[in-house]
Amino acid sequence: MFKSKVKKRRIFTNRRRSHRRFSWLGAIASVALLLLILELLTRIFIDISGQRNQFARTEAENGLWQAYKLNFAPSTAQSSSGENEQGLLAKNAIATGYELVPNQKSKYWQINEQGFREETAVPLTKPQDEIRIFLLGGSTGFGYGNASNSATISKQLEKRLQQRLQQQLTSPKLYKPDLLPSDKTEQQKAIAKPSKIKSGNYRVINAAVPGYASGNELAQVALGILKYQPDLIIILNGYPDLMLPSEQQAVFAAPDAKSKDNDSKILAYLEQFADLVQNNSYLAQIAQNHWSSSSKTDSKADFLLEEQTSNLVKHLPENETELLKRVTRYTEHQKQILKLSAAARVPLVIAIQPEITGRNPSQLTNEEGEIATELGRTYIKQVRDDYPLFTKAAFQLAQAYPKNLKAVDLYRLTDKYPSPSFIDAIHLNETANQKVAEQLYYAITTFPKMQVVPKQAVKPQSKPKTNQIQN
């Protein structure tokens, strides 16, 4: 009798549990079906209303930003096989703070086996005819948001230098001759012409790493770059040091929990799935746009600090004392880089990177105007006051060491042309990259070490007169 009652209770309990389980499964299935129906109806409405192209552009932009998102892999990671559409992989490094994982690529960028943004490897032994230039810096130098490696500053500069060589071949009379004429008048005319640059295969290697400040670049030069026998080094920086607290000597990767345990890996997969849904679902995009417009937090995270654009003002120096400490740190790091490069007889170009507040407000496009509005008046005023101090520091170094260093001010570069330039506060489109490359080209071609030095013509010596014996 007792066993029979227990058995009935178990059957009842199991039925109740089974009923609950099927109720939960049914509810989940119903919600999924409802969302699917809403997605289909949304797509039909979008097609009828003619807004499909707008959503296609949004999908492409989301894919681009996702490909540039910085994610940290285990420090033992050696490479990333296949295309990586979930972001740019980096790993902790004791010397430089962090570095890019070698041998990874996406639809928009490719990282070679040395961790540089290059399609091919850079051998330690430099080919005999190669003139090797390294570009260092943060995300602007790296080319954050650019559609391909070829759109970056480094490749635009490489292309410009090769064009110069071709021009020297086709129009040699525009430049100083290899051999100066002996006639003084003609010699003065020849000297007034621009010097030729050395012939060879110019290769500009993109060694910039998103987020790097001057301290990271100093370690990079000391421990990595010089061993590749560069003919010249360019450092495009300034802004990261303006935003980095003075007590920090460099940008270091925060410990990344995603690479430490399986639970975190599962969480990472869920985040990737959520991103996939968001990027491909019209319904999710509409919901996100509605939420963003109401909350006004729809800014893309700034790649330098992984910070919302509207929050960048919080990272500016809070007072003049803190500002001067940041400028001093920047100056000291540049001095140390200069000493290393000078000892190796490698010319150095320090360029202060562009930033949107340096652009003439009348030249801002609608998109750039929205960025400026989101940055806010406080940010704009303070950056305009503070950032030029980094330019001043770079030029003071150049004046002290004119044979080894040239400084280039790119902060107000885009004042000179009205074309759209900025995709956020500091990152540039391909057109602006070309303008930066042009200014760097001018600096490079004025270095004596990069030029062909004309030889002096040897005057023919007149034969000495000999006394002839007359018979």
Side-chain angles (χ1 to χ4, degrees):
M1 182 75 177
F2 179 74
K3 291 182 178 180
S4 177
K5 288 182 179 180
V6 172
K7 186 176 182 181
K8 287 180 179 180
R9 284 181 182 177
R10 288 177 177 173
I11 293 173
F12 177 75
T13 302
N14 290 337
R15 286 179 178 175
R16 185 167 58 182
R17 289 176 178 172
S18 177
H19 177 70
R20 287 178 180 174
R21 183 165 60 249
F22 282 112
S23 296
W24 278 109
L25 291 174
I28 292 172
S30 298
V31 171
L33 181 61
L34 178 61
L35 291 174
L36 179 60
I37 292 171
L38 287 174
E39 177 70 20
L40 291 173
L41 291 174
T42 302
R43 287 180 177 269
I44 292 172
F45 175 78
I46 294 300
D47 288 342
I48 293 174
S49 63
Q51 298 180 16
R52 185 164 186 168
N53 290 336
Q54 177 182 345
F55 275 82
R57 286 195 298 270
T58 302
E59 289 178 3
E61 289 177 359
N62 287 339
L64 179 66
W65 302 128
Q66 183 63 34
Y68 277 94
K69 183 179 179 181
L70 192 63
N71 296 304
F72 282 88
S75 57
T76 55
Q78 296 299 318
S79 63
S80 175
S81 58
E83 285 202 2
N84 180 12
E85 297 296 342
Q86 298 307 319
L88 187 65
L89 291 180
K91 61 180 181 178
N92 293 336
I94 295 175
T96 57
Y98 61 95
E99 59 190 23
L100 298 179
V101 173
N103 295 323
Q104 55 174 315
K105 63 179 179 179
S106 77
K107 185 166 63 175
Y108 307 102
W109 45 258
Q110 184 170 345
I111 309 299
N112 72 1
E113 63 185 67
Q114 285 85 23
F116 305 139
R117 187 171 182 175
E118 298 288 322
E119 282 80 12
T120 58
V122 181
L124 285 175
T125 303
K126 184 171 60 178
Q128 188 174 2
D129 65 336
E130 184 171 284
I131 298 175
R132 188 174 281 182
I133 299 172
F134 273 84
L135 173 65
L136 279 63
S139 51
T140 301
F142 180 79
Y144 171 74
N146 293 161
S148 66
N149 282 15
S150 61
T152 60
I153 294 169
S154 58
K155 292 309 167 192
Q156 298 291 344
L157 176 57
E158 183 177 284
K159 180 179 178 181
R160 183 66 182 89
L161 289 166
Q162 295 294 355
Q163 288 174 347
R164 170 63 178 268
L165 288 182
Q166 184 61 35
Q167 188 178 46
Q168 288 178 183
L169 290 173
T170 57
S171 305
K173 293 183 178 180
L174 295 175
Y175 303 95
K176 293 177 183 177
D178 295 339
L179 183 65
L180 291 174
S182 56
D183 181 78
K184 287 186 177 181
T185 303
E186 294 299 319
Q187 190 176 102
Q188 291 299 320
K189 291 180 181 179
I191 292 174
K193 295 179 180 180
S195 298
K196 291 180 181 178
I197 60 172
K198 292 182 178 179
S199 298
N201 179 29
Y202 280 85
R203 184 176 185 183
V204 182
I205 298 158
N206 191 342
V209 178
Y212 267 20
S214 61
N216 304 88
E217 294 149 6
L218 171 58
Q220 194 181 20
V221 171
L223 301 174
I225 301 303
L226 290 177
K227 66 182 181 182
Y228 288 97
Q229 306 172 61
D231 293 283
L232 185 138
I233 296 174
I234 304 168
I235 301 181
L236 181 66
N237 60 11
Y239 186 81
D241 278 84
L242 171 64
M243 306 299 276
L244 186 67
S246 61
E247 65 267 17
Q248 298 183 33
Q249 290 300 307
V251 179
F252 293 94
D256 192 273
K258 293 180 183 178
S259 63
K260 292 183 179 179
D261 53 63
N262 291 330
D263 292 340
S264 296
K265 288 181 180 179
I266 292 173
L267 180 60
Y269 290 139
L270 290 175
E271 289 178 354
Q272 291 178 8
F273 177 74
D275 290 336
L276 183 66
V277 172
Q278 179 180 322
N279 293 340
N280 293 280
S281 170
Y282 284 9
L283 186 62
Q285 291 177 32
I286 291 174
Q288 183 193 26
N289 291 337
H290 175 73
W291 172 260
S292 299
S293 61
S294 61
S295 63
K296 295 184 180 181
T297 58
D298 59 329
S299 311
K300 289 188 291 290
D302 182 84
F303 195 73
L304 172 68
L305 301 164
E306 296 187 356
E307 180 67 273
Q308 297 292 337
T309 302
S310 57
N311 290 335
L312 286 176
V313 66
K314 297 178 181 179
H315 299 275
L316 291 170
E318 60 269 19
N319 53 51
E320 187 176 357
T321 301
E322 173 63 16
L323 170 62
L324 294 177
K325 286 181 179 179
R326 297 184 188 189
V327 174
T328 300
R329 175 193 57 199
Y330 173 80
T331 304
E332 289 302 314
H333 287 161
Q334 303 310 313
K335 282 183 179 178
Q336 293 179 58
I337 294 173
L338 176 59
K339 288 180 180 178
L340 291 170
S341 63
R345 298 184 178 181
V346 178
L348 180 65
V349 174
I350 296 178
I352 301 298
Q353 68 188 77
E355 193 274 342
I356 198 168
T357 62
R359 187 158 167 77
N360 190 325
S362 65
Q363 303 287 6
L364 294 174
T365 64
N366 291 336
E367 292 78 9
E368 291 171 332
E370 291 176 2
I371 296 168
T373 300
E374 198 167 359
L375 288 168
R377 293 182 179 178
T378 301
Y379 172 95
I380 293 172
K381 182 180 184 307
Q382 188 170 346
V383 172
R384 285 177 176 170
D385 291 340
D386 295 354
Y387 199 30
L389 292 182
F390 290 86
T391 304
K392 183 179 179 181
F395 275 86
Q396 285 177 342
L397 279 175
Q399 290 173 359
Y401 305 94
K403 295 182 179 180
N404 305 102
L405 170 66
K406 291 189 181 297
V408 181
D409 182 12
L410 300 175
Y411 173 45
R412 298 186 182 278
L413 166 76
T414 55
D415 274 355
K416 300 176 182 178
Y417 62 96
S419 304
S421 304
F422 290 91
I423 58 179
D424 60 26
I426 58 171
H427 301 120
L428 307 171
N429 59 27
E430 185 172 351
T431 302
N433 283 345
Q434 292 175 355
K435 301 297 182 182
V436 171
E438 188 75 9
Q439 296 302 309
L440 295 176
Y441 157 80
Y442 291 137
I444 290 169
T445 54
T446 57
F447 262 118
K449 187 175 180 180
M450 307 300 291
Q451 297 174 344
V452 175
V453 179
K455 295 180 180 179
Q456 293 284 347
V458 179
K459 293 182 179 181
Q461 295 182 353
S462 57
K463 294 182 179 180
K465 295 180 179 180
T466 58
N467 295 326
Q468 295 181 354
I469 300 174
Q470 296 181 354
N471 292 328

